[in-house]
Amino acid sequence: MSGWDEGKVFYSDQAQFPGGGGDPDHGSITRHSALRKFKEFIRSFHGEKGDFPYRESLVQNPNYLLVAMEDLHSFDAELSDKIRKLPADYLPLFETAAAEVLASLRSKVAGETGEMEEPVTGEVQIFISSKENSVSMRSLGAEFISKLVKISGITIAASRTKAKATYVTLLCKNCKNVKTVPCRPGLGGAIVPRSCDHAPQPGEEACPLDPWIIVPDRSKYVDQQTLKLQENPEDVPTGELPRNMLLSVDRHLVQTIVPGTRLTIMGIYSIFQAASSAAQKGAVAVRQPYIRVVGIEQAHDGNSGGPSAFTHDEELEFKEFAQRPDSYAKLCSMIAPSIYGHADVKKAMACLLFGGSRKRLPDGVKLRGDINVLLLGDPSTAKSQFLKFVEKTAPVAVYTSGKGSSAAGLTASVIRDNSSREFYLEGGAMVLADGGVVCIDEFDKMRVEDRVAIHEAMEQQTISIAKAGITTVLNSRTSVLAAANPPSGRYDDLKTAQDNIDLQTTILSRFDLIFIVKDIRMYSQDKLIASHIIKVHASAGIASKDTDSLEGENWLKRYIEYCRVHCKPRLSDSAATMLQNNYVKIRQQMRQQANESGESAAIPITVRQLEAVVRLSESLAKMRLSFVATEEHVTEALRLFNVSTMDAARSGINEHMNLTADMANEIKQAETQIKRRMGIGSHISERRLIDELARMGMNESIVRRALLIMHQRDEVEYKRERRVIVRKA
């Protein structure tokens, strides 16, 4: 029955709505009645609790109003339909209505003269939210233009804030006549009339064509910013590149989004003429699409959600779980359940996901709280599977491979903007994963200069950049989980630790835990692994239907998030003393080992390793939601440190110091035989030499050890990829 008593009253503002005066094909809604309905909706919409949600939120926050499309639909289906189909026309009406309602809700204030005056209200910005499913970025076509759409993706770049004119003031050159022209919203410009509408007086010169000059100082402006939204990686079809879409946000949405956040946006799909395409003559009618944003929802990440994202029941459940005596073991069993064995590696992964406490000292120095882990070892020992699991479970994670990533891709790159020709920064993997984990596979295949770029990010947790006139420091508070193979492909027990771990000590000391993962051939273990793998393959289809595993994964993610937000443990005094004594003892052992073997260990044990044990103890306390790391936590942290880094530091053939007397004797005999067989300067194939000595009844491994010891003493050298041995003088 809307508009039955209006008669055919035509309002002057119907010019913008052609045929809007109760025209049958436009529905019976006119501009005036729409404005009235919007006011009515804000004033009298009842929430579920019987309150007036929109009225109250408008009084509390007069700058903007968040409207749910479902509420509008239940209030008046025709209105919500109009907003969906003609948002550019009806949203300004909605904003006017909101501003008018706000003015009527405010009480009058005493002016300067003491009389009661109407309060001054600014503009109200309307945000729209909806529970409908978002459409894919690829399916946006011509039929969506000027309609309301909902899409989701990841922001990859944000421009600087610019001022956008809403009303442009024009001045006539000839008669000084002033005119105000409205500007099209979004990325459109103003339409400036060609002629002046001033009627010339007798004897006065008529105004020429195009007489207007723009007066920037008297125009009205709002903030505007452009963002680039790229579709989510999981939505990209196989073999395609991810598409991106230009977004334009204005007023209160400006500067709320940082690159790297996942968004779902409601907006008006519009078009604009790009500056570059205007240069190509002929393509006059081709326009570029963009989306004018009218509502943003952020997917809550670990760092943006904050403490409010957890329900009361969840908190109780988490606290109850943390009190259980077996909570540590249960958490470790949830980590990569499809991988058999590797109990200590799983415990290290748990520590990495929970992380220690970040500290800030009084003099402004920051100590990192993130734990870095390196897995080094044979192929097919599930290293990459661990990385993939951590990428799925961590609240924020980025997965890269060593060969496919450069220094700029990991840290940050400077890019020139096409339209404005100015430089801007785009963060790489380490910056995007701020507050999470970076998984780097094939760590040993990275170029040396690219690996150096990670040094600063791993210890100081910042990335400094000085290129192309941009000097800045970016945060990268991430844990690094890296997987690498030894240089010869497999871990060779006959080589020294130095030869096996072909990484510089500078980067090794930055890893808190270094695991050497070996593929040990043992009958009983092989049998267990084989049965486990076959069970996994056989029950794969059934497990995917089972929701328990999915819930477990999700639960673990939430629990990690909760612990990281709510718990910042510190060491207790007794634990600190215990740690101190242990560190001194470990340093002494390493010094002794270096003196005996005559060379320093491949993995240095420095103060960084002491800090590593502190971080491990804190993360073990964090798993239990306890605010103090006790001696029990330190003991477990030291155990983990011993089975990983200390074990790696002691590995390799540094053990020829503690050979039995018989073995030492046999090695000596083998050495004399080798010297007899080879004159100084002669060369022989390694295989042939070993075969000849084996015919004399010598053990092959003894001969290899003898060769290695001679090589260490620099008596022989290898050539042609270690196939040929040359005896030196």
Side-chain angles (χ1 to χ4, degrees):
M1 291 290 286
S2 69
W4 63 275
D5 58 345
E6 286 181 23
K8 276 286 182 183
V9 181
F10 286 91
Y11 294 95
S12 57
D13 54 12
Q14 271 169 4
Q16 293 184 20
F17 268 64
D23 203 71
D25 44 302
H26 246 270
S28 57
I29 242 178
T30 60
R31 202 176 162 81
H32 189 70
S33 63
L35 185 67
R36 210 179 57 223
K37 278 186 179 172
F38 280 135
K39 282 188 184 176
E40 204 177 311
F41 167 70
I42 296 173
R43 275 210 191 96
S44 59
F45 179 77
H46 276 279
E48 290 170 4
K49 300 172 187 159
D51 52 355
F52 297 105
Y54 294 116
R55 223 164 90 179
E56 283 164 18
S57 84
L58 197 60
V59 173
Q60 281 161 3
N61 195 343
N63 292 330
Y64 54 85
L65 180 65
L66 182 64
V67 177
M69 283 301 274
E70 288 76 20
D71 292 349
L72 193 57
H73 188 80
S74 65
F75 181 79
D76 187 332
E78 198 180 357
L79 265 191
S80 76
D81 191 48
K82 286 279 187 230
I83 281 223
R84 268 182 206 290
K85 292 201 176 126
L86 300 163
D89 295 333
Y90 281 92
L91 269 173
L93 273 186
F94 207 162
E95 297 194 345
T96 317
E100 286 182 17
V101 170
L102 180 63
S104 66
L105 288 176
R106 291 260 180 98
S107 52
K108 293 190 173 184
V109 287
E112 293 168 5
T113 52
E115 290 179 20
M116 299 306 269
E117 292 176 358
E118 287 290 327
V120 182
T121 55
E123 290 185 357
V124 179
Q125 186 174 4
I126 297 275
F127 296 159
I128 291 179
S129 74
S130 161
K131 292 197 174 66
E132 66 191 278
N133 290 337
S134 46
V135 293
S136 127
M137 220 176 270
R138 289 164 188 267
S139 64
L140 290 178
E143 70 274 14
F144 283 101
I145 284 183
S146 305
K147 299 209 171 41
L148 205 59
V149 293
K150 179 176 182 179
I151 60 169
S152 62
I154 248 176
T155 41
I156 51 172
S159 74
R160 286 194 282 191
T161 313
K162 303 186 179 78
K164 151 96 180 155
T166 48
Y167 286 98
V168 180
T169 307
L170 306 171
L171 178 74
C172 176
K173 285 188 284 198
N174 187 32
C175 59
K176 302 290 180 274
N177 187 6
V178 176
K179 183 183 176 89
T180 312
V181 181
C183 230
R184 287 172 294 179
L187 298 175
I191 299 168
V192 178
R194 298 288 310 263
S195 57
C196 176
D197 46 10
H198 170 67
Q201 300 297 320
E204 197 179 14
E205 198 181 326
C207 295
L209 210 57
D210 291 331
W212 300 109
I213 313 169
I214 295 173
V215 189
D217 302 356
R218 291 203 210 152
S219 308
K220 280 174 101 180
Y221 298 96
V222 290
D223 289 336
Q224 192 187 38
Q225 187 184 21
T226 52
L227 307 171
K228 244 194 206 161
L229 190 77
Q230 183 175 300
E231 53 188 334
N232 287 324
E234 56 268 20
D235 303 338
V236 183
T238 323
E240 296 264 348
L241 284 175
R243 301 260 171 99
N244 49 28
M245 173 64 72
L246 198 65
L247 308 181
S248 132
V249 295
D250 56 357
R251 293 177 291 184
H252 297 289
L253 288 175
V254 165
Q255 305 248 314
T256 53
I257 301 299
V258 289
T261 27
R262 284 177 180 247
L263 305 176
T264 305
I265 60 135
M266 295 279 294
I268 306 167
Y269 189 61
S270 337
I271 47 174
F272 75 103
Q273 181 151 18
S276 53
S277 66
Q280 304 159 357
K281 291 281 180 282
V284 183
V286 178
R287 299 281 189 273
Q288 280 201 337
Y290 74 99
I291 289 181
R292 228 175 86 210
V293 180
V294 292
I296 288 185
E297 295 165 41
Q298 287 192 28
H300 55 247
D301 296 341
N303 42 11
S304 66
S308 58
F310 300 97
T311 61
H312 187 62
D313 298 345
E314 266 185 317
E315 293 200 11
L316 284 176
E317 185 194 343
F318 289 154
K319 282 176 182 156
E320 196 178 313
F321 175 80
Q323 297 308 319
R324 284 167 51 172
D326 63 338
S327 57
Y328 175 51
K330 188 104 177 66
L331 277 174
C332 297
S333 70
M334 280 183 181
I335 287 190
S338 60
I339 298 173
Y340 175 82
H342 292 309
D344 289 327
V345 181
K346 288 184 183 180
K347 286 174 181 170
M349 297 292 133
C351 289
L352 173 123
L353 285 167
F354 284 90
S357 325
R358 189 174 292 123
K359 301 175 192 68
R360 192 170 181 159
L361 303 184
D363 57 354
V365 174
K366 290 178 188 159
L367 299 178
R368 73 180 162 108
D370 296 304
I371 294 169
N372 302 326
V373 178
L374 172 67
L375 303 176
L376 182 102
D378 297 344
S380 88
T381 45
K383 296 192 297 293
S384 301
Q385 288 296 330
F386 273 123
L387 267 66
K388 281 285 181 202
F389 176 82
V390 168
E391 184 209 9
K392 278 208 311 279
T393 316
V396 183
V398 173
Y399 181 93
T400 72
S401 163
K403 223 15 180 187
S405 42
S406 65
L410 281 170
T411 53
S413 49
V414 175
I415 291 172
R416 182 173 238 155
D417 189 16
N418 282 335
S419 53
S420 61
R421 312 295 298 151
E422 63 188 30
F423 291 107
Y424 68 93
L425 272 184
E426 231 170 60
M430 299 286 253
V431 183
L432 289 182
D434 188 18
V437 186
V438 178
C439 304
I440 306 176
D441 208 351
E442 309 287 350
F443 193 61
D444 52 317
K445 318 279 188 305
M446 280 174 78
R447 290 190 294 276
V448 179
E449 57 269 25
D450 293 344
R451 214 181 289 141
V452 171
I454 316 179
H455 280 196
E456 183 193 2
M458 279 176 71
E459 192 56 53
Q460 275 70 40
Q461 302 219 306
T462 57
I463 286 168
S464 341
I465 279 206
K467 39 186 162 182
I470 295 177
T471 313
T472 178
V473 175
L474 304 167
N475 277 336
S476 70
R477 296 165 298 222
T478 60
S479 309
V480 176
L481 172 59
N485 294 103
S488 55
R490 311 183 52 93
Y491 194 85
D492 191 347
D493 278 322
L494 284 173
K495 288 187 195 164
T496 58
Q498 225 112 5
D499 295 338
N500 268 322
I501 306 168
D502 194 25
L503 296 169
Q504 294 173 331
T505 47
T506 45
I507 197 131
L508 285 177
S509 74
R510 285 172 163 82
F511 282 108
D512 301 342
L513 294 175
I514 298 171
F515 282 95
I516 289 183
V517 195
K518 291 182 197 163
D519 184 8
I520 303 166
R521 299 179 181 85
M522 264 168 61
Y523 177 73
S524 55
Q525 190 157 339
D526 290 350
K527 208 166 172 185
L528 287 167
I529 290 178
S531 74
H532 174 79
I533 287 175
I534 287 177
K535 210 178 287 168
V536 166
H537 277 269
S539 62
I542 310 153
S544 62
K545 291 173 194 159
D546 194 17
T547 52
D548 283 359
S549 59
L550 229 166
E551 273 177 14
E553 215 170 273
N554 214 349
W555 184 89
L556 182 62
K557 202 170 183 172
R558 297 285 284 166
Y559 184 64
I560 290 170
E561 228 169 292
Y562 181 78
C563 292
R564 287 183 81 127
V565 172
H566 289 273
C567 191
K568 301 271 187 289
R570 290 281 184 269
L571 276 180
S572 68
D573 295 344
S574 56
T577 334
M578 176 179 164
L579 229 173
Q580 194 177 328
N581 300 337
N582 269 297
Y583 170 69
V584 175
K585 208 175 354 179
I586 289 175
R587 282 279 285 195
Q588 204 165 354
Q589 283 172 10
M590 293 311 285
R591 198 180 308 123
Q592 209 169 334
Q593 184 184 322
N595 288 343
E596 283 174 4
S597 65
E599 57 180 40
S600 60
I603 299 172
I605 303 296
T606 60
V607 185
R608 276 189 186 147
Q609 273 58 41
L610 173 64
E611 288 187 346
V613 182
V614 174
R615 280 192 285 274
L616 284 170
S617 324
E618 286 169 352
S619 75
L620 289 165
K622 201 183 271 192
M623 286 181 214
R624 300 270 176 89
L625 283 177
S626 104
F627 287 95
V628 177
T630 57
E631 291 187 26
E632 167 195 8
H633 297 140
V634 171
T635 317
E636 171 64 10
L638 278 164
R639 189 194 68 78
L640 269 179
F641 183 72
N642 271 320
V643 298
S644 59
T645 312
M646 289 302 295
D647 190 46
R650 295 195 197 102
S651 72
I653 194 189
N654 279 349
E655 293 134 23
H656 63 244
M657 294 304 140
N658 47 20
L659 298 173
T660 59
D662 297 348
M663 266 179 105
N665 209 4
E666 281 182 35
I667 287 178
K668 257 205 175 67
Q669 278 178 356
E671 274 185 44
T672 28
Q673 289 297 341
I674 291 169
K675 284 180 182 163
R676 266 198 193 157
R677 175 69 188 75
M678 293 174 70
I680 288 177
S682 68
H683 50 82
I684 185 172
S685 116
E686 184 186 39
R687 188 70 258 162
R688 194 170 143 206
L689 177 71
I690 289 172
D691 286 349
E692 282 184 10
L693 290 178
R695 276 194 221 111
M696 295 165 70
M698 285 194 175
N699 190 337
E700 187 177 326
S701 72
I702 296 279
V703 176
R704 281 184 187 272
R705 271 204 168 182
L707 277 171
L708 266 162
I709 290 170
M710 287 173 78
H711 181 226
Q712 276 181 341
R713 287 201 222 114
D714 220 14
E715 290 175 0
V716 296
E717 74 171 327
Y718 288 103
K719 286 202 170 151
R720 288 200 212 145
E721 295 175 355
R722 302 183 77 98
R723 280 206 287 271
V724 175
I725 305 168
V726 181
R727 169 121 188 253
K728 293 165 91 176

